[in-house]
Amino acid sequence: MASPVPCYHCGLPVPAGSTYHARVLNEQRALCCPGCQAVAEAIVQGGLESYYSHRSDASINPNALPQALTEELELYDRKDVQEPFVRHEGELADASLMIEGISCAACGWLIEKHLRRLEAVSEASLNLSNHRLRVRWNDASLPLSELLAELRRVGYAAHPYQADQAAERLAHENRRSMRQLGVAGLLWMQVMMATMATWPEFNIDLSAGMASILRWTALLLTTPIVFYCCTDFFKGALRDLRTRHLTMDVSVSLAIGGAYVAGIWSTVTGQGELYFDAVGMFALFLLAGRFLERRARERTAAATAQLVNLLPASCLKLTDDGQTARILLRELQLGDQVLVQPGALIPADGRILSGQSSVDESVLTGEYLPQVRIVGDTVTAGTLNVEGALTIEVQALGDNTRLSAIVGLLERAQSDKPRLAELADRVSQWFLIIVLLTAAVVGFAWWQIDPQRTFWIVLALLVATCPCALSLATPTALTTATGTLHKLGLLLTRGHVLEGLNHIDTVIFDKTGTLTEGRLTLNEVRPLAELEAGACLELAAALENRSEHPIARAFGRAPLAADAVTSFPGLGLQGSVGQRTLRIGQPDFVAVGYAGAAPEIPGNEGQWLLLGDTQGPLAWLVLNDRLRNDAPALLQACKSRGWDTVLLSGDSSPMVGEIAQQLGISDAHGGMTPTDKLTHLQRLQADGRRVLMIGDGVNDAPVLAAADISVAMGSATDLAKTSADAVLLSNRLDSLVQAFSVARRSRHIIIENLTWASLYNGLILPFAAIGWVTPLWAALGMSASSLLVVLNALRLSRVPTQQGPDSLP
């Protein structure tokens, strides 16, 4: 009987008569179930088809997982490793795992189906919203490493789920604030209807009994708003009074508490106006603002947690007898020797003892090409070993690594930022002091004139001058402008961006991934012999397709296949296509293959590779990191505003000067470390410059955090995005040109809103003080003032038209 055909996606047997197929890598592939079919089609349609060509046969062979992966998974069988995330209940173990590679609901169906078929597994449940798998199994008969291996065999990687405490706490606060906001909004609408029904203007025939029922109903509905939704305001007010540092919480608490107490008095006595609707309105507006602020803090905490992904979970330690043993990263000690295989992340800062390779340091330095590292050179934790095996002596761990130093720079830069916040806080304190002193003076005066009216007049004054319109003046404009910019592909993560853009006079650009696309492309093929350019390109692609080096991605897929390909780190590749032995790479390296002189490189622009065989050179191939099409327009827009432009790049190649020359940037620096970039920025700020930074990558994170305004590209690392004040999700630089126009409009509207709110509070205060404004009219006036501010801010919702550099405002 013939063996069943294995499923092309997961490796399980394909049932007889199966009709599930998918076209992958130009061939029709047999699949075992609709889940695998859906996943395979999603991978192909998502442009990730290369996953199938690059995965090893082990990924679909249940009995042949790579040795390095098997060793790493076996570490999870240790009790001390399982302790943080595995619980034992009798014979069963319970664990939460994070699953990578999920693209749709079919993935969840496949994972659960595969695990439930294992006899030792009693329960497997995947939450598709957060990709978290909960599994219960008998670990005596099925070790955890085998469970993780089973997931690998169907194409998914699993890792222990361990919640970051800071991120979890912020997420909890976010859920709580959402509940408070929802309760306040829902109950306020009911309270408004009950309160308005008691107004004579709405129903003059309301009976005394019904009026009493409505008053008690409004009191009952308002109580949860005060004691559940507004608890943070009262806690903040108590904290401010203890520390003698006034904030809006004091004024807000007095207004909400006063209106609530007055409402209770009116409900019990049956006299006077109810102010429960004002309580709900205050709560709804103010909670909405605080919710947006909390969401921004949540994104920042999540970014810090992402840093751990730059380091491997385990590494290969060399023992005294020269053997290797896989250990957890936390078990590594200073002076230990580790073996780093090609394609593996370097676990710690150290010095190379043996081996030669290229190391991809782009995550830290911005260099888009891997750098050659030989014996004696230092390497950095979190960087990628590309080509050859390296033996490294550990010299720094944990907080002493270069990666930790970058994090320290980031935290220091962030701590220096909130200058505008401090200024706003000082202004608000003076405003509150004036309002509270005025209320005390007015209350004392009316106590002498008419004690019965004192409470109502002071309450009307506090309600009328409650800083709702002032507090909404800036946030509503910023929120509306933020939504407009989001339509354009620019996401603002901090509210001071739009105001700050009006004061910028200097722009710092990163190069790789910002002004350029961040990936090498083949610009030209220059034949040197009888072969045409197309034939030379086919031979070069046949060699490069066998390499994992980033240069190889520029050649695309080859119709030919090279044999016996050997990599020479930092030099090039050698292999055979048919009977022809070929070399590609550095000119001197290729010249060795034909025992002749290397030709002169024809130019200085781009990365030049020589292709040759045993007879001589065949062609020059020119690679380059392509300039973004909209970069010149952005530079022109900056210059038309009189801004100085600076280029700071971690790339030390001639490309930095070439890009600067193309864009007309006279101040350009290459080979800059994160510390160098931050120092250059601080020097500019010390000279009184207001700096806008545009960049991506971990190496730009400290500068993005320290700049007056910072923008990260949408393709940037998570850390760079959350360190920045804005993220260019569309990766279209022309969206920044439109942002300049929105910034100018938003500044005008913010000034209009603040002017109106200040005039309203200033004009209403004397009328409330002399008793001409009742609490009811004070609440209506405050609502009208807030509504006017919101409607004015909504004018920013119009998307600006694209403007040329000459017509920029």
Side-chain angles (χ1 to χ4, degrees), residues 41-76:
E41 291 175 347
I43 289 174
V44 173
Q45 293 171 6
L48 303 175
E49 193 173 9
S50 59
Y51 158 76
Y52 290 107
S53 61
H54 290 298
R55 68 175 179 178
S56 65
D57 293 338
S59 62
I60 57 172
N61 186 343
N63 299 313
L65 286 177
Q67 181 65 25
L69 176 59
T70 301
E71 292 176 356
E72 181 168 337
L73 294 181
E74 287 174 353
L75 291 174
Y76 289 110

Side-chain angles (χ1 to χ4, degrees), residues 1 23 26 46 81 87 133 140 143 145 211 235-236 272 312 394-395 456 483 500 517 588 608 662 725 763 803:
M1 180 177 179
R23 189 167 186 79
N26 298 320
V81 177
R87 298 190 309 273
L133 172 70
S145 60
K235 290 178 181 179
V394 176
Q395 295 181 325
W456 303 107
E517 295 181 352
D588 291 338
W608 291 78
Q662 291 181 47
D725 302 313
L763 292 174
Q803 303 182 45

Side-chain angles (χ1 to χ4, degrees), residues 445-679:
W446 275 100
W447 184 261
Q448 306 298 322
I449 299 171
D450 187 352
Q452 293 184 351
R453 299 186 61 191
T454 300
F455 176 79
W456 303 107
I457 289 175
V458 171
L459 177 61
L461 190 149
L462 287 174
V463 172
T465 58
C466 186
C468 280
L470 268 176
S471 63
L472 286 171
T474 299
T476 49
L478 293 178
T479 301
T480 307
T482 297
T484 301
L485 290 177
H486 192 235
K487 296 176 185 176
L488 299 173
L490 181 66
L491 174 65
L492 303 189
T493 59
R494 292 177 177 85
H496 72 284
V497 174
L498 291 168
E499 173 64 17
L501 280 175
N502 293 284
H503 305 291
I504 292 299
D505 54 30
T506 304
V507 186
I508 295 178
F509 295 95
D510 178 43
K511 180 183 72 70
T512 306
T514 303
L515 295 177
T516 67
E517 295 181 352
R519 56 187 176 87
L520 288 173
T521 56
L522 181 64
N523 280 8
E524 185 181 2
V525 179
R526 296 189 183 182
L528 299 176
E530 70 280 0
L531 285 181
E532 295 181 352
C536 292
L537 178 58
E538 286 186 1
L539 294 175
L543 286 173
E544 294 288 353
N545 279 181
R546 297 289 187 174
S547 172
E548 294 298 325
H549 197 285
I551 284 179
R553 302 170 192 160
F555 290 86
R557 187 172 300 281
L560 302 176
D563 299 318
V565 176
T566 304
S567 173
F568 296 85
L571 299 175
L573 300 172
Q574 176 178 302
S576 300
V577 176
Q579 301 300 316
R580 175 176 278 172
T581 299
L582 298 166
R583 282 193 173 201
I584 186 173
Q586 298 294 329
D588 291 338
F589 165 73
V590 176
V592 173
Y594 57 80
E600 291 288 333
I601 295 178
N604 295 323
E605 297 184 1
Q607 179 83 14
W608 291 78
L609 301 178
L610 182 63
L611 174 68
D613 59 12
T614 55
Q615 303 303 313
L618 297 175
W620 285 110
L621 299 105
V622 189
L623 306 179
N624 217 330
D625 188 5
R626 188 164 54 193
L627 187 70
R628 292 184 185 273
N629 295 331
D630 47 7
L634 175 60
L635 266 293
Q636 183 59 36
C638 294
K639 292 176 181 178
S640 68
R641 292 172 173 268
W643 295 349
D644 291 336
T645 54
V646 182
L647 177 59
L648 302 181
S649 177
D651 187 359
S652 58
S653 73
M655 278 291 297
V656 177
E658 295 169 16
I659 292 296
Q661 185 177 6
Q662 291 181 47
L663 296 175
I665 302 176
S666 58
D667 189 3
H669 305 271
M672 301 283 282
T673 66
T675 305
D676 294 334
K677 290 186 177 184
L678 184 59
T679 301

